[in-house]
């Protein structure tokens, strides 16, 4: 007989329910959401688990590849379909959700979600980090501009990212009050810009060193069926041009 495990995953914990091919509940337990502890619990069961299933979420990629590396057959299901199926349940608890997920897995009434590769998520993380650094750098530059206006110092409308510090720092250092108040802002902005440049260079090296095979479109490993990918954030599409 085949046995199935359903996981209702939260940030720090998960509820596990194991059912057999007839839908009988065999085991239920709450565990920390850690791959080692989940794998140890499932391996220690007196039955062999046919499949493990959970709905798509922020920890899906981590759990999918982690449990797969432990030798389990893992299926990730679309969250909207699971929500619709579980909405008929009277008592909405973690334990009941795990039980319902296991029953859905047993019946096969679900659409599996394609899980993108770790390389694709790595490229996305790299671009998201650069986008955040660029945003903070621009915010700090605008803050410096606004503070300088109070003292009658108006910067040119256009100052390139690479030359902003060279233009503004001499003006600030001439006034002791401005230097005491604003040099920390310039130093912080310079640090963000340096980190952004490092990420840009790293990205370029990765493109030439192997990520080019992923086409750098962040659709590497994407599903052929539109709308079945586990995408919880829109892929950043900013250009790498214009960074110092």
């Amino acid at each position: 007989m085949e046995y199935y495990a359903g996981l209702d995953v939260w940030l720090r914990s998960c509820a596990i329910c194991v059912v057999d091919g007839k839908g009988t509940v065999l085991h239920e337990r709450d565990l920390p959401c850690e791959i080692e502890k989940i794998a140890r619990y499932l391996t220690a069961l007196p039955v062999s688990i046919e499949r493990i299933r959970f709905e798509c979420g922020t920890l899906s990629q981590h759990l999918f590849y982690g449990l797969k590396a432990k030798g389990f057959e893992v299926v990730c299901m679309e969250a909207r379909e699971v929500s619709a199926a579980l909405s008929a349940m009277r008592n909405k608890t973690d334990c009941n959700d795990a039980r319902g997920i296991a029953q859905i897995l047993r019946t096969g009434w679900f659409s599996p979600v394609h899980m993108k590769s770790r390389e694709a998520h790595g490229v996305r993380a790299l671009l998201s980090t650069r986008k955040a650094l660029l945003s903070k750098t621009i915010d700090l530059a605008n803050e410096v501009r606004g503070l300088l206006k109070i003292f009658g110092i108006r910067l040119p409308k256009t100052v390139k990212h690479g030359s902003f510090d060279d233009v503004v720092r001499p003006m600030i250092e001439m006034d002791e009050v401005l230097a005491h108040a604003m040099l920390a802002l310039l130093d912080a902005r310079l640090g963000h810009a340096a980190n952004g440049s490092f990420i840009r260079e790293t990205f370029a090296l990765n493109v030439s060193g192997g990520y080019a095979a992923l086409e750098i479109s962040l659709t590497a490993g994407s599903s052929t069926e539109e709308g079945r990918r586990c995408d919880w954030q829109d892929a950043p599409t900013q250009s790498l041009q214009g960074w110092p």
Side-chain angles (χ1 to χ4, degrees), residues 123 203-217 220:
V123 175
F203 184 83
L205 290 175
N206 286 334
V207 169
S208 61
Y211 279 160
L214 302 176
E215 297 180 352
I216 313 306
S217 61

Side-chain angles (χ1 to χ4, degrees), residues 39 61 149 169 191 208 220:
Q61 190 258 3
K149 289 178 183 178
R169 189 174 291 271
S208 61

Side-chain angles (χ1 to χ4, degrees), residues 6-218:
L7 275 68
D8 185 45
V9 179
W10 293 87
L11 180 62
R12 304 189 184 279
S13 64
C14 66
I16 302 178
C17 177
V18 179
V19 299
D20 60 17
K22 295 181 179 180
T24 304
V25 177
L26 302 179
H27 299 272
E28 289 182 322
R29 187 174 178 181
D30 291 334
L31 288 175
C33 194
E34 298 178 8
I35 294 174
E36 293 293 337
K37 294 184 178 180
I38 296 174
R40 190 182 305 117
Y41 169 74
L42 295 175
T43 304
L45 293 176
V47 297
S48 179
I49 303 299
E50 182 72 17
R51 284 183 182 178
I52 301 174
R53 183 266 178 200
F54 47 83
E55 60 183 318
C56 192
T58 53
L59 293 177
S60 297
Q61 190 258 3
H62 174 66
L63 291 175
F64 182 87
Y65 288 107
L67 292 174
K68 201 170 183 180
K70 296 295 183 180
F72 295 100
E73 182 179 351
V74 186
V75 179
C76 185
M77 301 181 184
E78 189 176 6
R80 290 173 295 182
E81 294 182 355
V82 176
S83 177
L86 299 180
S87 61
M89 299 177 63
R90 180 171 299 179
N91 297 322
K92 194 84 166 71
T93 64
D94 296 347
C95 182
N96 287 341
D97 284 352
R99 188 179 302 175
I101 289 170
Q103 297 293 351
I104 296 173
L105 176 60
R106 179 183 64 87
T107 58
W109 295 345
F110 63 89
S111 298
V113 172
H114 177 82
M115 192 63 58
K116 288 186 176 181
S117 64
R118 288 183 180 272
E119 289 78 9
H121 283 284
V123 175
R124 168 175 293 185
L126 192 65
L127 288 177
S128 297
T129 301
R130 181 190 172 274
K131 181 180 180 181
L133 287 172
L134 178 59
S135 175
K136 296 302 180 184
T137 302
I138 294 175
D139 290 343
L140 289 173
N142 290 335
E143 184 69 21
V144 171
R145 283 178 175 273
L147 292 175
L148 288 178
K149 289 178 183 178
I150 299 175
F151 297 91
I153 302 176
R154 291 161 289 182
L155 298 178
K157 291 183 178 181
T158 303
V159 179
K160 293 183 178 181
H161 289 296
S163 59
F164 186 88
D165 190 78
D166 296 334
V167 173
V168 177
R169 189 174 291 271
M171 299 180 181
I172 294 178
E173 290 178 344
M174 289 188 299
D175 190 301
E176 184 178 352
V177 175
L178 289 179
H180 180 71
M182 300 179 61
L183 282 180
L185 280 178
L186 282 182
D187 293 338
R189 182 198 169 277
L190 196 60
H192 285 307
N195 289 333
S197 299
F198 173 76
I199 289 178
R200 182 175 185 270
E201 294 172 2
T202 303
F203 184 83
L205 290 175
N206 286 334
V207 169
S208 61
Y211 279 160
L214 302 176
E215 297 180 352
I216 313 306
S217 61
L218 295 187

